[in-house]
Amino acid sequence: MARPSKTAAIDYAAAHDLTHGLLERAACPDGVAFVLLRDTVKKGLRLRITKAGGKHWQFETRIKGKLFTRALGEWPAVGLDLARK
């Protein structure tokens, strides 16, 4: 499969193999308060991108039927490798 173009629009409905370049160019589209960029490598890991430009890591998991969401920190202070751990 070919690598996507650096200028191609990002499909926020699909999970992506997150890279530093993708995280840098990700931006919230007009008309929504935030979008979530999901990771294909670590299930439940996502980057929340707000209209104001903030990028924050979240991890979501289900334990005994209950949904838990945890904030992991702001990107790039918390890098991709650390967020996946």
Side-chain angles (χ1 to χ4, degrees):
M1 186 167 146
R3 171 179 266 182
S5 167
K6 290 182 181 180
T7 59
I10 299 171
D11 179 12
Y12 292 103
H16 297 274
D17 184 12
L18 299 180
T19 62
H20 185 74
L22 181 66
L23 299 177
E24 277 186 337
R25 67 184 180 92
C28 188
D30 292 333
V32 293
F34 68 91
V35 290
L36 299 172
L37 190 57
R38 296 180 292 133
D39 189 20
T40 57
V41 176
K42 182 71 173 180
K43 184 180 175 188
L45 180 65
R46 56 199 189 180
L47 188 70
R48 180 183 169 127
I49 305 159
T50 64
K51 184 180 261 184
K55 298 179 180 183
H56 303 273
W57 291 111
Q58 292 181 334
F59 184 74
E60 183 175 89
T61 190
R62 201 171 279 279
I63 300 173
K64 295 183 181 178
K66 287 189 171 187
L67 187 65
F68 292 93
T69 303
R70 296 291 180 248
L72 303 177
E74 186 175 6
W75 181 85
V78 176
L80 178 58
D81 292 335
L82 184 59
R84 282 180 174 159
K85 287 181 184 179

